[in-house]
Amino acid sequence: MRRQGIALTVLALSLGLLAGCGGNNSENGAQQEGAASGGGAAPSSSAAASPSAAKEPTKIQIGNLFPNLDVNNPVMKELSVRTNTTFDLITVTGDRNQKFDLWLASGDYPEDTLVLKPDYVEKYRTAGALMPLDDLIEQYGPNIKEKYGKYFDLLRSSDGHIYSLYVPKLSTEPSPLLQANFAVRYDVLEDAGYPEIKTFDQLYDLLNTFYESNPSIDGKETIPFAGFDYYGNGADNLSSPTFDASGLVNQGNFTIDDENNAQLLYSTDEMKRYYQFLSKLYNSNMLDKEFFTLNSEGLVKKITEGRVLAGYFPSWWVQPEVEKVLRASGDYDHQYAYFPITFDSSAENKSFTSLMTRSNWNWVISSKSKHPEEVMKLLDYIFSDEGQILINWGIEGRHFEVKDGKRTVLADFNEKKAANPDLQWTETASPFMGTSIYLDHGTKLADGDYATPTTKESVISGYDDRTKEVLAKYGKEVWSDFLPKIQLMPALLYQLGDIEDVRADMKRLQQAWLKDSPKIIFSKDEQEFDAKWDSMQKSLEKEGAAKATDAYEQLWATTMERYQTILQ
Amino acid sequence: MSVPFIAVLFVFHYLPLWGWLMAFQKYSIPLGILGSPFIGFGQFAELFGDSRFYQALRNTFAMSGMSLIAGFVCAIGLALLLNEVRSSLYKRTIQTIVYIPHFVSWVVISNIVIYLLSPDHGPLNELLAGLEVIGEPIYFMSKEKWFWVIHTLAGLWKELGWSTIIYLAVLAGVNPEMYEAADVDGAGRFAKMRRISLPSLLPTATLLLILAVGQMLSTGYESQMLLGNSFVMDYSQVLDLYALDYSLSIGDYSYGVAISMFKSVVSIVLVLGVNTIAKRVGQSHVL
């Protein structure tokens, strides 16, 4: 009996293992589908219209980032019919960077096209794994050229050739999803008569007043200001908030002034000022005790207990993830309003920036490709208006309809999607989703309608009544209405990649900074604060701050020089 | 017969050794191992010149040493005590309960530990406050010097039950006649435990000790990474975590190979050292 039981368990486990390995089988059945409907789809795009219906579909091997993607979903099938191709997906699982390194080291990267971050584009390019795209775009990329227009030369790499594709910023309005990151709870604002919080002094007074009258909630202390620690190293609470609070362009580990001088963020007066604010909160017992050690689960617990009044919550986290939980339990008062709070409300706030091009998951064509022209046609098709509608909206009649000349997601599909968040993988997802090839939310296509289903109306329709009420008090419709003008930049320092010579120095600097920051902020008084701040500056100096700053300043200068000639 | 096994050993353990070449290069992926420039002992010079490396080394030895001692003493103790339990149902229940944490990942264990020790209404602080031992809650995870202790206790809790298995198996194999003879001689339970059970365990324990010492530098990094935070960084960074931070995460693979070579050499020295000592004192040995 017992033996049998063990044998069965072993068998079940090994079958499970096999099933896990087989999950990526990506050979697709779209081929028959494509042959069956043949020329019936009649794509009008120049890229896809040229081959006659009789031509064999080209098999294109694509690097794919989404393990859940169903290669036979309706959008993938439609794409395959329209472009006369079939897809062979090579899916990246586990750590992406390690996988990309491994692919390159073994020469085993996908044969036709793959999606890479800019620093990996550079790595692959130096290894000769990428095909220059200039001539291909010239011949087969009419849509790419049309979409890029005057920005076309921004695609060029430092050697003058184009190696990767990503979209330009065409929209004139900010994405309605964009919002500030400093959050204040609705009931705190209501108590004070809905003031618009612009500065940290205002925020401090607001929190202090509420805290004095409500020192505890359900027997546990109120936490006026909290942070969160997504990557478990404390950095999330310190660096981005400093940029936001100072109205500076977020350049990663450095600030860059108008004269293009770089300074290490950890030594700036701006960071010191933000630390002073946190230290003040700490000494009046208003900062979360676990500010530097709390992981995201811990913070969710505190928020849902209704104890956290305000904090720095990145827009992709508390609002979409945690407030959903609050609403589900019928708690609408403990949601958060999002304000772009700064130290000096009269100074220009540059912390909301957008690149002129959105280069972060770029498409490249591998040098192994046997039919690069077909790959280029496919990528060019995605750049076309038709292609954008397909990858962003889905299929007309199944996922969206055109009402009064405007595309609207079908109510039925919306409901199903709300009930089952995984539905996108079997309905509308493609390897292009979420990469740098879909146009920004809020971009309008040639037909005057939006390129993606995320519009101001769709965002408003997702709000509950309490949120609409709070926004109405300020005369706004969505949280992005609070934002200052978006700064368009040709490049940002952090997306230019690492500099090999100083990468170990940067790591050392970062660790020195992370180690000392909590001690500075948890200082008892001003003297101790200053002493600890100065001692951190000394250790940063010792770890090579000057050398790293020079290297990045140099990188920034050469990049800017190049863009200035392009943009002239 | 043994050929396939030797082949496997060769392919997976000796063939990859040519990758050690990377430690003497400024390895870059695009150029590959054959094209990357050689820089001699540059990586080692950098490693031995880095004060953080010595800190990591100290932390590694300290935490391994503490885990090793605590693990050995407690596992042998628990096995001896369990061996004396008469009720088989009680014994099995205890065994199952102490095995469970071994199958739980460090991610979960660390969350439990952090929750237990939380200054924000964590159970331990509530308990201490309830007993009026402390006034203000203690922020355990921010105390640099306590990290090693917390880490050792967490590891002990996770692995204690599992490491008793082998000792219990040895104890089950002890010839019952020895106990019977002791009974006749009028030995009590403690005398039997001290004179029979413990000596029977010693050869196995020595063997395990030799093997464990060889693994001293390979502590892994999960527990330290998950339990650690920026307050205790100076005490939580072990060699594997150092390698992760300064090699893998920044793409400097040569440096990582240099660290791993250093670890191998030290491990061999340690194993040979313990083995020699074990031989001298007349215990069992591996080599």
Side-chain angles (χ1 to χ4, degrees):
Chain A
M1 261 320 278
R2 200 140 173 227
R3 281 250 168 93
Q4 251 172 10
I6 292 170
L8 274 177
T9 317
V10 169
L11 191 70
L13 283 175
S14 36
L15 279 179
L17 210 65
L18 280 176
C21 297
N24 287 337
N25 191 349
S26 48
E27 200 55 50
N28 87 46
Q31 196 162 354
Q32 303 100 18
E33 191 83 4
S37 42
S44 59
S45 151
S46 54
S50 45
S52 66
K55 200 188 155 207
E56 269 291 291
T58 319
K59 187 174 179 181
I60 293 183
Q61 200 173 68
I62 301 181
N64 166 40
L65 303 176
F66 311 111
N68 294 336
L69 175 65
D70 174 6
V71 73
N72 288 321
N73 72 33
V75 164
M76 291 298 284
K77 281 184 183 171
E78 181 68 19
L79 185 63
S80 146
V81 173
R82 289 196 199 170
T83 55
N84 197 32
T85 46
T86 61
F87 307 116
D88 175 14
L89 300 188
I90 307 290
T91 300
V92 179
T93 47
D95 186 296
R96 287 170 177 173
N97 287 357
Q98 272 180 32
K99 188 75 176 184
F100 296 146
D101 278 344
L102 203 64
W103 272 354
L104 185 59
S106 63
D108 213 8
Y109 42 89
E111 248 162 58
D112 293 316
T113 178
L114 63 156
V115 57
L116 294 172
K117 284 198 282 192
D119 46 343
Y120 274 85
V121 171
E122 201 53 26
K123 250 189 196 175
Y124 272 58
R125 178 179 78 85
T126 16
L130 302 184
M131 196 169 281
L133 307 176
D134 317 38
D135 296 343
L136 287 167
I137 295 175
E138 202 57 48
Q139 261 185 295
Y140 305 104
N143 290 307
I144 297 171
K145 286 175 79 176
E146 187 210 315
K147 285 278 182 313
Y148 259 92
K150 62 173 177 169
Y151 287 150
F152 188 70
D153 285 332
L154 284 180
L155 276 172
R156 291 188 194 283
S157 134
S158 49
D159 71 352
H161 290 290
I162 298 172
Y163 293 94
S164 73
L165 289 173
Y166 40 92
V167 291
K169 173 99 183 156
L170 297 174
S171 84
T172 43
E173 50 186 281
S175 158
L177 283 179
L178 198 65
Q179 61 186 30
N181 297 317
F182 287 107
V184 186
R185 218 165 66 184
Y186 291 173
D187 59 341
V188 179
L189 291 167
E190 189 181 3
D191 263 23
Y194 295 108
E196 184 169 346
I197 311 298
K198 288 182 172 161
T199 65
F200 283 97
D201 291 335
Q202 264 179 301
L203 178 66
Y204 182 84
D205 294 339
L206 178 84
L207 295 177
N208 200 14
T209 317
F210 192 91
Y211 181 50
E212 273 172 10
S213 49
N214 305 283
S216 68
I217 289 168
D218 293 339
K220 290 182 175 176
E221 306 82 12
T222 306
I223 301 166
F225 195 88
F228 95 127
D229 197 9
Y230 192 74
Y231 294 103
N233 58 15
D236 308 292
N237 277 328
L238 303 172
S239 93
S240 292
T242 299
F243 283 113
D244 286 9
S246 318
L248 293 172
V249 178
N250 190 336
Q251 301 271 17
N253 295 317
F254 295 89
T255 61
I256 288 169
D257 66 11
D258 295 337
E259 275 81 50
N260 286 334
N261 294 314
Q263 193 187 355
L264 189 67
L265 177 67
Y266 321 144
S267 330
T268 54
D269 291 339
E270 282 82 6
M271 180 158 263
K272 189 174 178 184
R273 191 166 53 173
Y274 188 65
Y275 279 18
Q276 276 162 342
F277 169 70
L278 292 176
S279 189
K280 186 173 151 192
L281 286 173
Y282 174 75
N283 283 314
S284 31
N285 219 0
M286 282 165 64
L287 188 69
D288 187 354
K289 279 179 219 151
E290 296 174 287
F291 193 69
F292 293 99
T293 54
L294 196 64
N295 54 20
S296 50
E297 292 87 5
L299 183 57
V300 171
K301 184 166 168 280
K302 289 182 180 181
I303 290 177
T304 47
E305 284 173 349
R307 298 166 63 198
V308 178
L309 305 184
Y312 182 86
F313 304 148
S315 57
W316 47 267
W317 186 55
V318 167
Q319 194 181 48
E321 300 294 330
V322 188
E323 293 190 355
K324 202 164 64 184
V325 181
L326 290 174
R327 282 194 297 274
S329 64
D331 182 358
Y332 294 100
D333 260 1
H334 290 162
Q335 298 182 86
Y336 295 87
Y338 294 88
F339 297 114
I341 303 173
T342 54
F343 281 103
D344 180 1
S345 59
S346 60
E348 192 188 1
N349 186 349
K350 294 180 179 171
S351 57
F352 296 90
T353 41
S354 175
L355 290 164
M356 292 168 187
T357 55
R358 201 177 74 237
S359 162
N360 79 66
W361 282 102
N362 304 346
W363 287 88
V364 299
I365 298 183
S366 131
S367 55
K368 291 196 291 188
S369 180
K370 293 191 186 71
H371 34 245
E373 65 293 341
E374 297 295 332
V375 183
M376 180 49 81
K377 280 183 201 166
L378 171 71
L379 293 176
D380 184 64
Y381 181 72
I382 305 292
F383 268 85
S384 74
D385 283 7
E386 262 182 45
Q388 287 291 318
I389 294 171
L390 182 64
I391 63 162
N392 295 325
W393 287 87
I395 295 164
E396 187 167 351
R398 186 178 175 114
H399 304 121
F400 74 94
E401 58 180 346
V402 180
K403 241 199 299 194
D404 313 326
K406 277 178 112 182
R407 280 184 285 278
T408 344
V409 178
L410 282 175
D412 174 49
F413 180 58
N414 243 347
E415 269 167 38
K416 279 195 220 155
K417 214 164 55 174
N420 174 15
D422 285 337
L423 192 67
Q424 58 165 334
W425 303 115
T426 51
E427 283 292 331
T428 54
S430 63
F432 304 104
M433 195 181 78
T435 64
S436 297
I437 204 166
Y438 78 89
L439 292 168
D440 278 318
H441 303 307
T443 309
K444 283 180 175 160
L445 297 176
D447 59 6
D449 201 1
Y450 290 106
T452 73
T454 307
T455 60
K456 207 163 179 174
E457 286 80 38
S458 80
V459 170
I460 295 171
S461 70
Y463 287 155
D464 56 282
D465 291 339
R466 178 75 170 120
T467 302
K468 285 179 194 160
E469 184 196 329
V470 173
L471 280 162
K473 297 278 182 197
Y474 295 98
K476 312 271 184 192
E477 288 181 309
V478 289
W479 296 117
S480 73
D481 287 344
F482 283 98
L483 300 185
K485 216 174 89 223
I486 304 291
Q487 304 275 321
L488 275 187
M489 303 275 293
L492 290 170
L493 189 57
Y494 71 79
Q495 45 87 243
L496 297 177
D498 292 339
I499 301 176
E500 204 176 307
D501 289 341
V502 294
R503 58 190 174 184
D505 300 83
M506 277 312 296
K507 193 80 198 180
R508 256 182 268 280
L509 288 168
Q510 210 176 23
Q511 293 209 328
W513 164 64
L514 286 174
K515 197 180 74 183
D516 286 347
S517 292
K519 288 166 200 152
I520 298 173
I521 289 164
F522 285 5
S523 297
K524 295 267 174 314
D525 51 44
E526 229 168 280
Q527 266 174 325
E528 193 187 335
F529 181 97
D530 284 335
K532 287 189 170 158
W533 175 268
D534 292 340
S535 108
M536 175 169 93
Q537 297 313 320
K538 280 203 192 87
S539 61
L540 289 175
E541 254 166 61
K542 212 183 74 199
E543 301 285 10
K547 183 182 158 205
T549 310
D550 285 347
Y552 277 95
E553 193 171 274
Q554 190 57 41
L555 175 69
W556 181 250
T558 44
T559 314
M560 280 298 112
E561 214 169 292
R562 196 159 65 79
Y563 284 122
Q564 258 150 21
T565 41
I566 290 174
L567 291 171
Q568 255 164 21
Chain B
M1 272 307 278
S2 60
V3 170
F5 301 103
I6 291 173
V8 166
L9 189 74
F10 182 75
V11 169
F12 289 105
H13 290 264
Y14 287 91
L15 217 53
L17 284 185
W18 76 292
W20 277 14
L21 270 183
M22 277 164 68
F24 306 97
Q25 289 180 328
K26 197 174 158 63
Y27 177 72
S28 96
I29 292 182
L31 297 175
I33 200 163
L34 296 174
S36 298
F38 279 89
I39 55 163
F41 287 90
Q43 305 287 0
F44 293 95
E46 196 185 324
L47 184 65
F48 296 131
D50 187 359
S51 61
R52 260 171 219 280
F53 162 72
Y54 294 102
Q55 203 178 56
L57 198 62
R58 175 200 70 184
N59 295 341
T60 312
F61 273 120
M63 273 187 268
S64 296
M66 285 169 74
S67 303
L68 202 71
I69 295 166
F72 261 88
V73 173
C74 295
I76 292 175
L78 183 65
L80 286 174
L81 293 177
L82 275 177
N83 193 45
E84 297 298 321
V85 174
R86 292 273 157 79
S87 154
S88 136
L89 180 72
Y90 177 73
K91 185 174 166 187
R92 276 167 190 246
T93 316
I94 294 288
Q95 269 180 290
T96 310
I97 291 173
V98 294
Y99 290 170
I100 287 174
H102 171 78
F103 298 101
V104 179
S105 81
W106 265 112
V107 179
V108 178
I109 300 270
S110 71
N111 269 326
I112 294 175
V113 171
I114 291 170
Y115 167 71
L116 282 176
L117 302 182
S118 163
D120 187 71
H121 299 276
L124 185 60
N125 269 309
E126 296 278 275
L127 178 75
L128 293 177
L131 296 173
E132 290 179 358
V133 181
I134 51 166
E136 281 288 295
I138 302 173
Y139 195 172
F140 292 100
M141 298 310 289
S142 74
K143 308 270 188 232
E144 288 188 322
K145 306 254 157 60
W146 296 10
F147 182 79
W148 289 350
V149 178
I150 293 173
H151 178 266
T152 307
L153 291 176
L156 190 64
W157 175 46
K158 186 169 169 3
E159 297 302 338
L160 177 60
W162 190 249
S163 39
T164 57
I165 290 182
I166 201 159
Y167 297 118
L168 284 172
V170 172
L171 286 174
V174 176
N175 190 347
E177 281 173 17
M178 291 214 277
Y179 290 110
E180 283 157 18
D183 274 337
V184 173
D185 290 344
R189 295 186 78 171
F190 275 104
K192 280 192 280 181
M193 204 195 272
R194 212 158 58 93
R195 305 280 178 199
I196 303 174
S197 305
L198 196 59
S200 324
L201 283 181
L202 268 184
T204 315
T206 322
L207 198 72
L208 289 176
L209 182 73
I210 295 171
L211 294 176
V213 165
Q215 293 294 315
M216 262 187 101
L217 284 185
S218 310
T219 50
Y221 58 84
E222 297 100 333
S223 52
Q224 289 84 359
M225 190 168 82
L226 291 163
L227 284 173
N229 55 56
S230 37
F231 286 103
V232 296
M233 207 185 271
D234 281 348
Y235 288 82
S236 68
Q237 195 171 46
V238 284
L239 219 47
D240 282 345
L241 200 53
Y242 175 84
L244 187 74
D245 281 341
Y246 288 94
S247 164
L248 273 181
S249 80
I250 58 172
D252 188 353
Y253 296 106
S254 290
Y255 199 52
V257 177
I259 297 172
S260 124
M261 277 178 75
F262 168 78
K263 271 171 58 179
S264 302
V265 171
V266 174
S267 295
I268 290 175
V269 171
L270 284 176
V271 170
L272 292 178
V274 176
N275 194 54
T276 319
I277 295 171
K279 251 188 215 168
R280 291 253 169 83
V281 298
Q283 287 292 341
S284 67
H285 46 85
V286 184
L287 299 167

